[in-house]
Amino acid sequence: MKQQSSSDWIARSLRSVWHPCTQMQHHEEVPLIAVSHGKGAWLYDHEGRRYLDGISSWWVNLFGHANPRINAALKDQLDKLEHAMLAGFTHEPVIELSEQLAALTGHALGHAFYASDGASAVEIAMKMSFHTWRNAGYPDKQEFVCLQGSYHGETIGALAVTDVPLFKDAYGPLLRAAHVVASPDARNASEGESSQDVARRALQDVEKLFEERGNKIAAIIVEPLVQCATGMAMYDPLYLELLRELCDRHHVHLIADEIAVGCGRTGTFFACEQAAIWPDFLCLSKGISGGYLPLSLVLTTDEIYQAFYSEDITRGFLHSHSYTGNPLACRAALATLQIFRDDDVLNRNRELATKMTVALAPLAEHERTQQFRQRGMIFAFDAIEPDPAKASSFARRFFTAAVEKELLLRPIGRTVYMMPPYVLDDEEIELLAVRTRAVFESVIGA
C-alpha cells in the first residue's frame, strides 16, 4: 500500500476534522502539520521533519512522547481491563491513583472524583461547592468569583468563571454571571511595588467583595501561581496564603485549578504547596496522565465528602461521565507518578530550570522584550511591538517562523512562553533557546 504524504493527510484532515481553538480559514495561509510519530521531546511529520515540542502539546506531556515506561504500563493494562463503569464497580488503577494523590496532599484532600477533561473537573468542583452549601442549609450561597484574565475551560459553567473575552463573549447570553476580582499578576506592579505588594493590593478587592456578598458566594476559583491563558501571568504565593485566610473567615470555598500548573510545572508537585495551603477543591488534568490519555479529577476534603453522605439520594453527588476513572488513563497516571518518584523529578527540574534560565538570558535582556519571568518549568516574556497591526498578528507569524526552525511554540498574544517536557538534555535546551531568539528577531523585525 502506498504511504501517504503529509500533504495527503492534511487535505483529508481539512475536509473532515474541525480543529480546536482555530479559525479554520487561517489554514489557507498557515498549513497544518501532519504528525506521524513522536519520540522524547520531538514530534515528526510523514517526511521525517522534526519539531521540538516546546509547549508539551498544550501543556500535557511531562516525560516525552512514546515514553517507554508509560508505554509498558499501558500495554500491561490492556491485557487486564480496558474499561468498566465506576458506578457500582471499582478497580485497582483508580483505587491506587486516588490513594497516591491523597498521600501527596498529606491526606488533606482524601477523596477523588474523576472525569476526562479539565473543564469537566472545574464543572464538578463548582457543582460540588454549590451542592455542599445547599446540603448544609445555605442554599443562597450560589455565586462564584474568578480573577481578571482567568481561564478555566470552555464548557458553560467553566466559561462563566473565565475572563478571556475571545473565548467568552460569543456565549455571554448562555452564561451565569460571576464576580471578577483583580489579578495579582506581578506585571501590574507600580514603580517601587514588589510582587507581594501587588498580591496584597489584589486581595483588597476580594476582601471587599466577600464583606459585601460572602453570604451569597459559594466559591472563588484561581489558577495557583500562574494564570496561563492570559499570558503566563505569574504571582507571589503570598496571595494564596492570604486568600485561604479570607475564604476561611467568610465561609467561602477555595477552588484551585491546577489543571495546567500541577504535576510539577511550577516547581512543586502541587502549586498550592508553595503557599503551604490546601484548597477545598483541587482540579487536576493535563499532565496527570503524562500526556497520554484524557483524565481529570477533583480532590476534596472529608468535610465536603461527608456533606453528601446520606440515606437521601438527593443529597448525593449524582454527576457522572461514562469513562469516569478509566483504567487505562489511571494506569498511565500511576506510571507518571512512578517516574516522579524513581527519577527524583522535582529536584532534577530545578537543575533544568536553572539551565533554561541561563540559556534564555539573551532573550530576557533583549531590547524588544520585557517582563521575562519563570516559575518552575514555565518560562515567558512579552514582545515589545508598538505597531498594533503587527502586534495582532504576532502570535501567528511567530508560530509559522518557529515551525521553520523545528520548534513547536504558540505564543499567547505578544507573550512567548515555553513549557517543555521534563526530558530536555543540554543540547536540546541550547537549541530551544538559540532558535527561539532567532525566530523572535526575525518576527519582531519583519
Side-chain angles (χ1 to χ4, degrees), residues 82-84 86 91 93-94 114-115 293-295 323-331:
E82 82 300 337
H83 184 65
L86 208 60
H91 51 77
V94 77
Y114 289 85
L293 289 164
L295 180 66
Y323 282 92
T324 291
N326 174 260
L328 288 167
C330 290
R331 188 69 186 275

Side-chain angles (χ1 to χ4, degrees), residues 35-40 42-44 65-66:
V35 176
S36 167
H37 62 283
K39 185 174 178 58
W42 296 89
L43 294 168
Y44 296 82
H65 299 282

Side-chain angles (χ1 to χ4, degrees), residues 355-371:
K355 291 178 179 179
M356 284 278 293
T357 302
V358 170
L360 291 170
L363 272 168
E365 298 161 2
H366 199 284
E367 62 180 8
R368 296 290 296 275
T369 70
Q370 61 187 1
Q371 300 285 356

Side-chain angles (χ1 to χ4, degrees), residues 7 62 74 96 137 154 157 333 349 407 443:
S7 59
L62 300 189
L74 284 173
E96 292 180 353
E154 295 173 49
N349 278 0
L407 301 180
V443 172

Side-chain angles (χ1 to χ4, degrees), residues 126-136 307-308 313-318:
M126 292 174 68
K127 287 176 67 176
M128 276 186 176
S129 175
F130 163 78
H131 202 161
T132 298
W133 291 120
R134 191 183 77 165
N135 282 355
F308 293 87
I313 191 171
T314 64
R315 292 177 64 87
F317 190 64
L318 305 183

Side-chain angles (χ1 to χ4, degrees), residues 164-289:
V164 180
L166 178 64
F167 301 125
K168 186 174 183 177
D169 284 358
Y171 308 103
L174 303 178
L175 306 178
R176 183 170 180 164
H179 301 284
V180 180
V181 293
S183 168
D185 182 353
R187 292 176 296 178
N188 294 332
S190 302
E191 186 175 353
E193 270 193 321
S194 68
S195 59
Q196 290 198 342
D197 293 331
V198 177
R200 289 190 179 94
R201 178 157 51 84
L203 278 159
Q204 292 174 2
D205 205 21
V206 182
E207 185 170 23
K208 181 181 178 184
L209 176 63
F210 281 9
E211 288 173 350
E212 295 173 354
R213 304 288 301 176
N215 62 331
K216 301 288 187 182
I217 294 172
I220 181 171
I221 183 169
V222 300
E223 301 157 86
L225 302 184
V226 185
Q227 293 179 258
C228 295
T230 196
M232 299 298 159
M234 300 183 186
Y235 60 90
D236 196 276
L238 179 66
Y239 182 85
L240 296 174
E241 179 186 340
L242 298 181
L243 180 61
R244 176 72 274 181
E245 294 176 6
L246 276 178
C247 287
D248 290 341
R249 190 188 317 156
H250 293 276
H251 304 288
V252 172
H253 289 148
L254 175 57
I255 302 172
D257 174 355
E258 295 222 10
I259 290 161
V261 300
C263 302
R265 287 293 185 194
T266 65
T268 48
F269 190 84
F270 298 111
C272 285
E273 293 178 71
Q274 295 180 47
I277 63 106
W278 293 112
D280 300 288
F281 304 93
L282 192 150
C283 304
L284 277 183
S285 189
K286 292 191 182 288
I288 189 59
S289 72

